[in-house]
């Protein structure tokens, strides 16, 4: 069964450092997303990406965040200068269409900023 | 506004009993809803979805009910098993494709 894969599973970084979280969406999907989940809280939308550009972003997704699809398979989330409050699980998701279609989530990357 | 909520943070049931998890949403224009299950350390896993032109949809051991009048969604799990223990989220799909998640209900199944 096709799945969304994310690497690494756990990333520990020093405050102020840059991190790149990587995702390989399902191959025939067209819409890609990043979500964040702070420990014990709900899943929050960060950004959606379609046709090689951001289609929507949340208030959380400020200038420190960026996304890229550098080739035909990878989808990355970069945080330029990490803060303690960036510590969370980051989930990548993809879906074949925008409307009434299931979003498939990866297993997540646990980011710990120290 | 962007508000999807669940009524109870924790639900404890006996193995074999039926479970009902509730969710309230605020955006009356929403037309597609999804229930996700999240096990510890894993990503959300799709359980079942429902479109606003329906009021009930059944899957294997799960049923979703939608009441648009009161903007209420519920997930019913029949004959709950230990493997059903997880956090359950309802999510509201917006036209832009983003999902707005509720706070989550932790389902604990007692043997």
């Amino acid at each position: 069964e096709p799945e969304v894969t994310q690497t690494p599973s756990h990333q520990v970084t020093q405050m102020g450092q840059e991190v790149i979280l990587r995702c390989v969406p399902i191959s025939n999907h067209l819409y890609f997303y990043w979500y964040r989940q702070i420990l014990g809280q709900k899943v929050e939308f960060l950004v959606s990406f379609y046709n090689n550009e951001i289609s929507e972003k949340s208030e959380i997704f400020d200038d420190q965040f960026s996304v890229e699809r550098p080739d035909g398979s990878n989808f990355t989330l970069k945080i330029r200068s990490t803060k303690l409050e960036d510590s969370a699980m980051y989930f990548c998701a993809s879906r074949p269409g925008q409307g009434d279609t299931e979003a498939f989530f990866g297993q997540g990357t646990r980011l710990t900023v120290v | 506004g962007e508000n999807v909520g669940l009524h109870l943070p924790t639900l404890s049931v006996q193995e074999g009993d039926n479970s009902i998890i509730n969710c309230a949403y605020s955006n009356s224009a929403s037309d597609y809803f999804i229930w996700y299950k999240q096990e510890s350390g894993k990503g959300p896993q799709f359980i079942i979805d429902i479109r606003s032109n329906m009021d009930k949809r059944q899957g294997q051991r799960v049923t979703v009910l939608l009441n648009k009048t009161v903007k209420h969604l519920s997930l019913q799990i029949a004959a709950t098993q230990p493997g059903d223990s997880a956090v359950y989220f309802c999510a509201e799909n917006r036209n832009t494709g983003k999902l707005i998640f509720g706070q989550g209900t932790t389902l604990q199944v007692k043997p």
Side-chain angles (χ1 to χ4, degrees):
Chain A
E1 185 175 326
E3 59 180 12
V4 176
T5 57
Q6 291 185 242
T7 54
S9 57
H10 191 188
Q11 174 88 48
V12 181
T13 189
Q14 294 263 337
M15 189 169 55
Q17 295 296 303
E18 174 183 287
V19 294
I20 298 177
L21 309 183
R22 302 180 190 280
C23 170
V24 179
I26 295 173
S27 62
N28 62 343
H29 286 187
L30 301 176
Y31 294 83
F32 314 111
Y33 306 85
W34 283 100
Y35 289 83
R36 179 182 82 173
Q37 185 179 33
I38 294 171
L39 185 64
Q41 298 186 22
K42 65 180 180 181
V43 178
E44 300 174 288
F45 169 79
L46 290 178
V47 65
S48 58
F49 192 86
Y50 169 72
N51 200 26
N52 284 320
E53 60 183 25
I54 291 174
S55 47
E56 186 176 2
K57 58 185 180 181
S58 72
E59 294 174 351
I60 304 167
F61 195 89
D62 61 23
D63 292 344
Q64 294 300 311
F65 291 84
S66 63
V67 290
E68 196 176 33
R69 189 159 161 81
D71 51 43
S73 59
N74 291 285
F75 180 49
T76 62
L77 174 69
K78 181 192 290 186
I79 309 175
R80 289 190 183 79
S81 179
T82 50
K83 303 185 287 289
L84 294 176
E85 53 265 38
D86 293 327
S87 296
M89 283 290 288
Y90 288 82
F91 293 105
C92 173
S94 71
R95 54 199 312 184
Q98 180 174 286
D100 303 350
T101 60
E102 175 187 346
F104 292 80
F105 283 79
Q107 294 296 304
T109 292
R110 178 171 297 284
L111 177 65
T112 303
V113 182
V114 297
Chain B
E2 298 193 341
N3 185 24
V4 181
L6 293 173
H7 294 309
L8 287 175
T10 303
L11 176 66
S12 186
V13 300
Q14 205 71 38
E15 182 179 356
D17 287 352
N18 297 333
S19 302
I20 300 176
I21 300 172
N22 295 303
C23 178
Y25 64 95
S26 60
N27 191 327
S28 56
S30 296
D31 59 2
Y32 179 57
F33 303 88
I34 308 172
W35 279 100
Y36 282 94
K37 173 185 181 183
Q38 187 179 28
E39 296 174 294
S40 181
K42 296 186 178 180
Q45 179 185 4
F46 174 90
I47 302 173
I48 192 167
D49 58 3
I50 189 166
R51 291 167 178 76
S52 61
N53 61 353
M54 305 169 70
D55 52 22
K56 181 179 179 179
R57 187 154 190 239
Q58 287 186 289
Q60 186 177 11
R61 281 201 308 120
V62 293
T63 301
V64 55
L65 299 177
L66 175 62
N67 186 330
K68 293 180 287 295
T69 303
V70 295
K71 291 183 284 187
H72 183 269
L73 197 66
S74 69
L75 176 71
Q76 300 178 2
I77 305 174
T80 314
Q81 302 169 359
D84 295 327
S85 294
V87 181
Y88 290 81
F89 293 94
C90 61
E92 174 188 358
N93 183 74
R94 294 296 170 85
N95 289 339
T96 58
K98 73 178 181 184
L99 294 173
I100 304 299
F101 283 81
Q103 293 291 341
T105 291
T106 299
L107 177 64
Q108 299 173 338
V109 182
K110 297 178 287 187

